[in-house]
Amino acid sequence: MKKDKYEDAAERLLINGQYKLINKNVRWMSHSLRSRTKSLMRYQNLNEKEAFKEIVQTTQDALSTTDFRKYYDNNLVS
């Protein structure tokens, strides 16, 4: 099955965050990216490409902060 951009980004973020690249993590992260992108599109009046780019960047930044890292640690397998 062909991966979409959300799954590709999820895999890159998981690798950069040093989480296991297992199906459960990829599904959780891609769902998170997809739902947050849709919310940003709705509330900031952005198109999907702009919102997706913003969410991926924000997630990448969040993985390097302690508070958000705890959130991801609670939802992903390291």
Side-chain angles (χ1 to χ4, degrees):
M1 182 180 214
K2 185 179 177 186
K3 291 186 285 189
D4 64 13
K5 67 181 177 181
Y6 292 96
E7 291 168 336
D8 287 337
E11 288 179 359
R12 288 192 314 273
L13 289 167
L14 290 168
I15 290 167
N16 290 340
Q18 298 178 339
Y19 291 101
K20 289 184 179 176
L21 198 56
I22 59 174
N23 196 35
K24 177 183 176 183
N25 285 351
V26 174
R27 281 194 325 250
W28 185 89
M29 184 64 81
S30 63
H31 172 75
S32 175
L33 293 172
R34 191 173 279 111
S35 63
R36 291 185 296 135
T37 297
K38 287 179 183 177
S39 293
L40 192 61
M41 288 169 59
R42 189 175 313 118
Y43 296 113
Q44 295 292 321
N45 199 26
L46 299 173
N47 65 41
E48 184 182 11
K49 184 178 180 179
E50 294 169 327
F52 175 73
K53 183 179 177 182
E54 181 72 26
I55 291 299
V56 170
Q57 183 60 52
T58 301
T59 304
Q60 182 64 49
D61 294 345
L63 286 171
S64 64
T65 61
T66 305
D67 291 339
F68 281 101
R69 185 71 190 200
K70 289 177 188 175
Y71 168 75
Y72 289 110
D73 285 348
N74 287 333
N75 289 288
L76 298 168
V77 178
S78 320

